[in-house]
Amino acid sequence: MANTAQARKRVLQNEKRRLHNASLRSRLRTYVKGVLKAVHVGDQEQARCALRAAESVIDKTVGKGVAHRNMAARTKSRLSARVKAMGNAAQ
């Protein structure tokens, strides 16, 4: 247990940051699921729109230090590949 005032304050700050970061991670996952859902349904226009929104959220999450940039690049690449594959399958 924290014995000094400084240590007690750090415990509170860390908990506050943990909850905020969890919220940001959850938002990121929700947007990614939105793209996957649109791809699964087969709605290409909705998938493209969802991909744009997801890429923005992913980049913002990386900028805040919650997600690693390599994870973001990998996720965006995989999502865009799925959306692009929809376009090729439709033709």
Side-chain angles (χ1 to χ4, degrees):
M1 188 64 206
N3 291 324
T4 64
Q6 177 184 1
R8 284 191 290 272
K9 181 178 178 181
R10 295 298 297 173
V11 167
L12 295 175
Q13 288 175 327
N14 289 337
E15 180 63 14
K16 186 176 179 180
R17 287 189 182 114
R18 184 186 70 81
L19 293 173
H20 184 251
N21 290 342
S23 172
L24 294 175
R25 265 192 306 275
S26 176
R27 184 176 75 162
L28 181 142
R29 292 178 186 137
T30 300
Y31 275 82
V32 169
K33 286 177 189 175
V35 176
L36 296 176
K37 184 175 180 181
V39 168
H40 183 71
V41 170
D43 187 351
Q44 187 176 8
E45 188 58 37
Q46 183 181 357
R48 285 184 180 158
C49 184
L51 177 62
R52 270 193 301 274
E55 285 178 341
S56 175
V57 169
I58 290 169
D59 290 336
K60 287 177 186 175
T61 306
V62 170
K64 294 175 191 299
V66 176
H68 195 276
R69 61 187 171 92
N70 289 353
M71 185 280 295
R74 183 176 62 244
T75 303
K76 291 192 301 186
S77 175
R78 288 176 180 173
L79 290 176
S80 62
R82 286 190 181 202
V83 172
K84 186 176 180 180
M86 286 178 64
N88 294 341
Q91 294 174 354

